[in-house]
Amino acid sequence: MEEKLWKDHSVLLNKDEENELEIFGYKTQGCRKALCIAGYILSCGALLLLFYWKPEWDVWANCIRCCLEEADVVLLRTTDEFQRYTRKKVTWIDLSTLALPVGSNSGGPLVADKDSVINRAIMKPQLKMRCIQVQKIRYIWDFSVKEFKKVGSLEDSNTCHSIHHKFGAGLTREEQEIRQLVCGPNAIEVEIRPIWKLLFKEILNPFYVFQAFTLTLWLSQGYTEYSVAIIILSIISVGLTVYDLRQQSTKLHDLVEEHNKVQVTVCTKSEGCKKLESRYLVPGDMFLLDGKKLPLPCDAVLIDGSCIVNEGMLTGESIPVTKTPLPLTESLMPWKTHSMEDYRRHVLFCGTEVIQTKPTGRGPARAVVLQTGFDTAKGDLVRSILYPKPVNFKLYRDAFKFIVGLSVIGMFGLIYTVCVFVSHKKSVADVVAMALFLLTVAVPPTIPAALTTGTVYAQRRLKKKKIFCISPQRINICGQINLVCFDKTGTLTEDGLDLWGVIPSEGSRFQKIHKFPSSTPLPWVPVCGAMVSCHSLVVLDKKIQGDPLDLKMFEGTHWEIDDSSTAQDGAGALDTCVIRPGPKASSAPVEGIAILHQFPFSSGLQRMSVVSQKIGEEQYDLYMKGAPEIVSSFCTQETVPANFLKELKTYTSQGFRVIALAHKVLNLGKDVNVSNLEREEAESGLAFLGLLVMENRLKQETKPVLQELAAARIRSVMVTGDNLQTAVTVARNAGMIHTGSKVILVEANEPEGSTPASIAWRLAEDSEANTAAFSEVCANTEEKITLEGETSSYHFAMNGKSYQVIIKYFYNLLPKILVNATVFARMSPGQKSSLVEEFQKLNYYVGMCGDGANDCGALKMAHAGISLSEQEASVASPFTSQIPNIQCVPELIREGRAALVASFAVVKYLTLYGLIQFVGTALLFWQLQIFGNHQYLIQDVIITLLVCLTMSLTEAYPKLAPYRPPGQLISPPLLLSIILNVCFTISMQTCGFLLVKQQPWYVALASQRHCSPGNQTVSPTSPVGNSTNSGAQSTVLSYEDTTLWPLSSINCIIVAFVFSKGKPFRKPIYTNYIFSVVLALQLAVCLFLFFADIDAVYGGMQFLCTPVIWRVYILLMLLVTFCVSFFTEDVILQNKHLWLLIKAWFGYQSNSQYRKWQRMLQRDPNWPPVNAKDFAAKSTDETYVNPIYEHSDEN
């Protein structure tokens, strides 16, 4: 029973999706709630505040566990490593007020679509349903499977046939109203958050609550000036944060608001078509695309007609995309499965813009609403901004551990104070006040705020370099990047392709190549028909637009698109694209060609085709273009030249992009509707026409940047959709694969019949020649070839198909391959994301640099995604570079390293500052004394605050060092640095404290402070009791205080200087002019106050006059401390070679998974395999996971 309750108590929400959550059911209990309310009152709201920080405690205290079906409160927990909790109330949707369809009360379905979750969620006869709203998405309780299900979209189980028949004519009015109430409005509403809400959220941050506590304590002790200064700074800090959040909120609201008020023509079954505001659209609605430009307000599937859409908002590429209608087939497969990964060609995505529609003879183009509101593509993008994935970075967790550690030290201070003050029989109020005071001194409340200053300055510097960042906390992570994945086209190489030549094929033999540019036009051969018609170009505003490859191919023929070509027939306008020979084209036996139908290109299928008809002829033609390997597989073998692969390799090995073209005559008969053609049937038995050779040049910045990354021991990997051979050649030309390195091609095949899945390792043909020819060069470049301690004398290269097979059948080999894989070709968008994730499992910090459509997923998945697109879509990646080349990558890594080192320096400084002050205060407490109000003020505001604000201004060092800064605060060099400096402080302050007591002029308690020549000795005061006054105004004047203040204050300046390390990650300290001047002025102020001999100054600072020689001794003590501290930090702790020797001595080895694999492979004499073939253990769909690899992310 208990087990069943637990099973019903918790389920997974959005299983296997990016936003997967665990959901637990709870029921509120009256007596528990009453106890909690009493707790809130008795704790003066402290318990309420704790529950605000920890929502799970709130639920556990107020509610009892129950099955989800009975729950009135649910607790959600993320399934990532953070396991964050959120609390949601279960609400009810009441449908009893609506006019319901006939028969729905008597047990009939509520909505016509029998498969709809709405029918399974209704409670009869009450006509209510339970729902929760999580991260803007609504879920309703499905009684049949006992789970919460998303409700803002059509079921994926619908077949092509059911979408046409259930929704093709629209919904009924009643059903629309039900769906409107259940699914909510079709609007992506981002509220501009009220200032008071933002303010409360910021103020209730634990950091500010702790600060409020310390300020209350200090004010009660009379430290008014300092407290007021901190209050003013906190108000400014909170004000700036609230202003920034409000600006972001307004910006996002304005960005999405316009799409909520689009006018659309919606058709219903009974009432025909009428204009509606888009917010009233529901999944299943049918609307018309009537030729006008339309920003799409929802995700919809096209069921009739075709249209051209600008998807720039989603993909970053403003290339018009042609959308075709969902075929009307009897297939029983769900429609997405039927269209395979190419289903996107039928889908119009929210946020994109319809720029042209092509109606059919049946009237305007029609589409059925698939998803509304935040369930749409644009809604998903906006949600990823509103609820960003938390960044798992050790720095922030370590900073928290630091604060806990300092709190522990503070607790020891508290015990020490209690013991000292109680032994002197002080009042309880004094004991409590002073004990809490010493506790707060040890913990600088500014650590979290100081951590952000480094990133804020780095963000500002990046902005100047035209690199924009929407996730500033990721800047620190960029400092740890040790592997960068690059897209090829448009990233490493120029965006545009130049047409280099055409190789026609006739009679299964390749003909003479026609090169471009050429003085003679391309003669009319069958391949010309494909070049002029097999594309997705459109004429918009009298300009031909479309894919750059299509554009170059078409321009090479000198034909023209006739933009007035709209043939009229009885059923209405039939929009076809007609192309005719231009004045410069060679004479052709046709007047023109009409493109009647398109099967669009997709990166999944790697091909496109068109159905066309020569003007004045009845015959239909199908032309195909695409990846040569794919196109040749659709051709009859007798038409493919015998030397096809050899010819293909000739060009791809020189880095050319090669496209194959093919043709088929379609025997369709008269008056056939070509738009109903089945793609699979039409694209078969083609005749091979030839190859199109395009040149794709490297950008001039590519090679130097890749060399810089290699010198810094940062791995570069190419992930592209292009041909494998082309990609390998470009990798060689760019320097990713060094001269003399072997390239091993990995080819994996799915199981066929009784043959299990296989994996073959083949040496790329050009590798052997290269290895022999460059063996001499290799000796000289040995240093360059060694990358990150691994000898990269070989590189693996594979295509997306092989990658997929390896993931499925050879998962245990994947890590071995990945540690030396450099080229991944023909990768689909999903495979790119998967690859980034697999690299991360090996403990690589992965950067991804891409420029468009296929990279969005990988850009979001990587630790640092850098988009080279200026489009709004770059919102999908944390960084956007407006300079369209890869120079931004080393720039970002430099700034990341500088910001990371700056963050460490600030944390170290603040820790030391807290402990320096703690030691000084603790020594004075021994005599029941305390530093004066102004003394604290100078240390806290004039020294520490200014240091924190200016320390991070030091810019990044221009040269990337061949190693990374430490990635965690809790590391031996850093902890040693803090511990040793604390020891130096304790030694120096204790020496000063004890030595001053030995001086002949020392008296325990003094009443006069002036320094007139005849008054070198000071008479003691009588009542000892004065010294115990807890008010800051009547602080006792003592020689200990006068000695300890300059020792602690100037020590703060010393550690600020010592911790401001320059090379190798930041420029030298003297280049940070503001910081250097600040330190010099601070030192001057301290020395002036100490050496002034002016009564007014001594009076204000509560100093006693001491002989000049004693002051010189104090300076000497400080000088010795500075020398020891500087030597320790610079010569010992920051000495990379020394630490490497220590590591070698103790046999320390990196725990990173990729390092473990590298060490293992170096010891393996059979690795890498060459000219070998392996088979999977058995041909099943099981995945064989290496146990070492499976648990890799535990370390």
Side-chain angles (χ1 to χ4, degrees), residues 388-409:
K389 266 173 71 178
V391 180
N392 178 17
F393 195 44
K394 291 194 180 103
L395 176 66
Y396 300 101
R397 285 181 299 172
D398 288 355
F400 179 71
K401 286 178 189 168
F402 248 69
I403 292 172
V404 170
L406 291 172
S407 305
V408 170
I409 294 171

Side-chain angles (χ1 to χ4, degrees), residues 1100-1132:
M1101 289 301 296
Q1102 294 170 316
F1103 284 164
L1104 284 173
C1105 185
T1106 54
V1108 174
I1109 190 70
W1110 176 246
R1111 289 181 249 178
V1112 173
Y1113 285 154
I1114 288 175
L1115 279 189
L1116 283 173
M1117 286 162 76
L1118 285 163
L1119 190 62
V1120 169
T1121 307
F1122 169 72
C1123 294
V1124 173
S1125 180
F1126 188 77
F1127 177 83
T1128 309
E1129 189 74 20
D1130 228 48
V1131 179
I1132 300 171

Side-chain angles (χ1 to χ4, degrees), residues 6 9-13 21-27 51 53-68 71-79 83-90 132 134 148:
W6 180 250
H9 163 66
S10 117
V11 291
L12 281 176
L13 200 63
L21 295 160
E22 273 182 286
I23 179 168
F24 304 93
Y26 287 91
K27 198 188 279 181
F51 284 170
W53 292 333
K54 290 277 186 186
E56 64 272 33
W57 293 4
D58 180 14
V59 173
W60 296 335
N62 280 285
C63 312
I64 54 164
R65 205 171 78 184
C66 69
C67 62
L68 278 163
D72 59 1
V73 170
V74 291
L75 194 60
L76 299 149
R77 182 173 71 191
T78 58
T79 53
Q83 303 231 316
R84 288 161 305 138
Y85 283 94
T86 33
R87 172 189 186 276
K88 294 283 170 190
K89 269 187 91 68
V90 179
I132 54 170
V134 183
F148 279 103

